[in-house]
Amino acid sequence: MNQLKQQILDLQSKSQPLEPNEAQRNAYLNKVNAYANSFLNSIETTKAFCGEKETPHVFKITNKTKPIEDILELYANEVAAKGINAASGGHLGYIPGGGIYTSSIADYLADVTNEYVGMHFSCPGGVAIEYELLNWMKSLFSFPESAIGNLTSGGSIANLIALTAARDKHGIKNAVIEKSVIYMSPQVHHCIQKALRIIGLEDVQIRYLELDANSRIVASDLEEKIKADKKHGLNPFVVIASAGTTDTGAIDPLKDIGNIAKANNLWYHIDGAYGGFFILIDKVKHRFNGIEMADSLVIDPHKGLFLPYGLGAVLVKDKEAVYHSNHYRANYMQDAIDDAMPVNPADVSPELTKHFRSLRMWLPLQLHGIEPFVACLEEKLLLTQYFREELIKIGFKVGPDPDLSVSYFWYPTIDGNENAFNEKLLKELHNDGEIFLSSTLINGKFVIRMAILSFRTKLDTIDKAISMIQRGLSKLNQSV
Ligand SMILES: *Cc1c(COP(=O)(O)O)cnc(C)c1O
C-alpha cells in the first residue's frame, strides 16, 4: 500500500472512538439514563441551593480517557450538586422554568441527526417546525401572519434582534445617535441596556419613566417626556414596555403605551420574556391587552413553557427592518439561496449555524398538547397567591397584589432596621438551601423575592418554603 494511504488508514483507526458502535452507544445511554433517573427520582428531596465559593478545578482537558461512570460521578458531585439546582421545584429565585424531561429527548434526537436549521435548503422540515412554532406564537399574541420571527438561545438575543430592527427602521446611526431617545422603565431587564451597547447605541438618550405603586410605567409620564424631548429637537424613536418585569412581575399598561407610541411614530417593543405565556390563562389574559400593538415582542419558552435553558423567541412585524441587519448572501452560500423558498432563519438572526432548538419545544407540545402547560401556568398564579397568604399569617408584609407570579415580602421589625434584618434572614435561607429565594431592592428597601415559574413547584414546595422561613426566623430571633 502506498504511504499516503497507509497514513490515512492509521488516522482512521485512531479516530475510531468518535464513532461508537451500537453496543457502546447502548452502554453509554444506559449509564446516562440511570443517572438521569436517580437525579429525577430524588429531585423532591434534593436541596434547591448549595452555596459554594470555590470554583472546582477538576475539569481539566488532557489526553487521558475516563470511563463514563467516572465522568457521571464528577458531573453529579461537581456540577449538579453545587450552586442553584435549576431543575428543582424549590428554585424560586430569578426566573426559573424547570426544564421538562421530554425536551431532553428532542435534544437527543437533534444532536444525533445533527440537522442544520439555519437554512431552509439544508433541512426544510426543521425550518418548517421553527416557523410553525413562531406562527403559533403570532396567533397567541394576535400578530399578523406577515410578521417574521426567530427562535434564539434566549431572551437576551431575542431582545437584541428586536432592538437592532428598531435601530435600522429608524436609521439611527452616526450623528443621529446622540439625539435619539429611548423610553423605558427603570425595571427593564438589564439585557436591554446590554443590547443597546452591543448594537452601537450606547450614546442614545435613555429616559427612565415614572412607575406607579405596582411598579408599572405611568403612561402620562411617557407622553410628557416625548413632548419635552421633541421640543428640544431630539428624536424619540423607541419605547420599551415589559409584559411581566423580572423584578416584580409587573405588566406595564400596554395599550396606553401603544397608543402613545403610534401617535408619536415610535417603535414599540415589548419584552414578555418572563410573562408572555401567561396570556394563555383566561383569568389574566386581559392584562395583556395592547400586546398586539407591539412592533416587536420577546417571549422565552425556557421560562413560560418550562423548557430547559436555551430557547427564546422574537417576533417582529417589519420584515425588512430585520433583514437589513441580518440578511447576507455569501458566494459560498449560492446553492442554498432560492427566493421562492421560505425565509432562512439565518436571515433573521446573527446566528448562521444554530442548534436545532425548535425540536425541544415542538416535540413536548406534540406529546402533551397545550393544556398541561396552561394548567401549570395557572397553578403558578395560585401558588403565588397561596405563598403570600401564608407569609402574612406568620407576620410578613407582602408587596402589592402581583400581576403574575413574581412578588416580594419582608419581615417588619420594630427597631426600624428592617433592611439589615431581612438581609440576615435571606442569608439564613441560603445557608439552609432547601428552597431558593432571591432578593431585590424596591425604592431602596431590601425585600425577599419569590419567582414561581418552575413546573415542578407545587403546593408542597410552598409549605416547605414556609417551614424553612420559620426556621430562619427562629434562628435570628435566638441570636438577638
Ligand atoms: C429572563 C429575562 C430576559 C433575559 O432572557 P435570557 O433568556 O435570560 O437571555 C429578558 N427580559 C426579561 C423580562 C426576562 O425575564
Side-chain angles (χ1 to χ4, degrees), residues 92 94-95 245-250 274 383-385 387-389 391 397-410 437-440 442 447-452:
L92 311 184
Y94 314 110
I95 305 283
T245 57
T246 313
D247 225 16
T248 66
Y274 151 60
L383 287 174
T384 309
Q385 195 186 333
F387 197 1
R388 286 166 51 91
E389 285 172 9
L391 283 164
K397 299 269 187 216
V398 297
D401 263 341
D403 288 336
L404 298 172
S405 68
V406 177
S407 183
Y408 56 91
F409 56 95
W410 68 96
L437 292 154
S438 62
S439 67
T440 189
I442 301 290
V447 294
I448 303 178
R449 184 177 158 276
M450 63 171 93
I452 301 186

Side-chain angles (χ1 to χ4, degrees), residues 197-325:
R197 278 186 276 144
I198 294 167
I199 66 173
L201 297 186
E202 183 169 4
D203 295 331
V204 294
Q205 317 252 351
I206 295 182
R207 300 273 180 271
Y208 289 107
L209 300 167
E210 245 175 67
L211 303 183
D212 67 14
N214 288 289
S215 302
R216 302 181 192 125
I217 287 174
V218 176
S220 59
D221 186 47
L222 170 64
E223 199 154 30
E224 282 158 27
K225 285 198 162 80
I226 295 173
K227 215 183 252 170
D229 286 331
K230 283 189 171 169
K231 212 162 116 194
H232 289 102
L234 297 175
N235 175 38
F237 81 106
V238 174
V239 58
I240 301 171
S242 306
T245 57
T246 313
D247 225 16
T248 66
I251 302 181
D252 291 320
L254 304 179
K255 194 165 211 154
D256 295 349
I257 296 173
N259 286 331
I260 298 168
K262 296 297 158 223
N264 290 279
N265 188 32
L266 303 196
W267 180 286
Y268 186 20
H269 176 63
I270 298 180
D271 182 358
Y274 151 60
F277 280 108
F278 281 104
I279 202 170
L280 287 162
I281 311 298
D282 288 338
K283 207 169 58 181
V284 291
K285 201 182 173 101
H286 65 277
R287 302 210 165 123
F288 294 88
N289 282 349
I291 204 162
E292 70 288 349
M293 298 170 84
D295 293 293
S296 52
L297 171 67
V298 165
I299 354 148
D300 254 359
H302 69 194
K303 289 176 177 165
L305 283 190
F306 323 113
L307 304 189
Y309 295 129
L311 193 57
V314 61
L315 301 177
V316 183
K317 283 183 184 159
D318 191 317
K319 275 189 190 157
E320 298 305 321
V322 190
Y323 294 164
H324 185 90
S325 35

Side-chain angles (χ1 to χ4, degrees), residues 167 170-177 201 324:
R167 178 196 69 186
H170 285 259
I172 309 301
K173 54 185 176 180
N174 305 327
V176 182
I177 295 177
L201 297 186
H324 185 90

